[in-house]
Amino acid sequence: FAAELGPTSNPRGELYFALVALLSSRDALVLRCALVAMYQLARHGSHAAALGGLSCAEMLLRILSDYDDSFRVLAAEVIELLLACDTFAHDVTLHDGIALFISLLHADNEPLAPPLLRSILALIANAPTRAQQLRILGGVHVVVSVLASSTGGGAVSPPAGLGLAAHQPAPAA
């Protein structure tokens, strides 16, 4: 493999493309390994930006929608990290990610709620059109009810920065 790369190729870029390609795998172990590797890379800003720019939003949303809970949690955590990339956030919005996040908040999967809530917050922060979409879809009520149920002794803790107001623009930095 190393001999195929050549002196002018970008092994890091090829790694990103390979990980995104592996998201379409039907093998559970391969998919889980790809998600874990993406999570570990996306925790670092430059890697998150590189991965987020590779049009992987649709595949991650499909995993979030169609797979079992353990894959959903991994996909939600990767999505949460990649939302720091504007291109990725735009792709998530185009593929109805907000509606999917809202629908999955109703699931009885407590580990899934925090990354979904933080993802919603990341999407609507400084994006009035996305905040409006959240309101239109009834997402504000869902978010408030999830947060209210979490304060009643549930295991879900509200993500930092997510207030009960529908949308508060962040101050300019």
Side-chain angles (χ1 to χ4, degrees), residues 6-146:
T8 60
S9 66
N10 180 357
R12 189 176 289 173
E14 291 178 14
L15 171 66
Y16 301 145
F17 281 113
L19 286 173
V20 170
L22 289 173
L23 291 178
S24 61
S25 175
R26 300 247 185 251
D27 184 293
L29 181 59
V30 170
L31 181 58
R32 186 174 309 278
C33 288
L35 287 169
V36 169
M38 285 183 78
Y39 175 80
Q40 292 297 326
L41 284 171
R43 291 177 50 209
H44 306 285
S46 62
H47 297 297
L51 286 167
L54 293 179
S55 301
C56 59
E58 185 176 10
M59 288 182 273
L60 287 167
L61 291 171
R62 180 185 46 81
I63 293 166
L64 195 57
S65 172
D66 297 343
Y67 283 73
D68 70 22
D69 288 346
S70 64
F71 287 98
R72 285 179 175 171
V73 171
L74 276 171
E77 290 172 346
V78 171
I79 288 169
E80 175 190 348
L81 293 170
L82 294 181
L83 282 171
C85 175
D86 290 335
T87 304
F88 185 80
H90 180 71
D91 288 347
V92 167
T93 304
L94 286 177
H95 294 290
D96 295 323
I98 293 174
L100 177 61
F101 297 163
I102 293 167
S103 70
L104 289 173
L105 281 174
H106 293 292
D108 288 335
N109 186 351
E110 289 182 4
L112 186 59
L116 288 178
L117 289 169
R118 288 187 295 265
S119 294
I120 289 170
L121 176 64
L123 279 171
I124 66 171
N126 299 319
T129 57
R130 292 183 194 139
Q132 181 64 24
Q133 183 181 8
L134 180 71
R135 280 188 221 104
I136 290 169
L137 294 170
V140 174
H141 174 71
V142 173
V143 169
V144 169
S145 68
V146 168

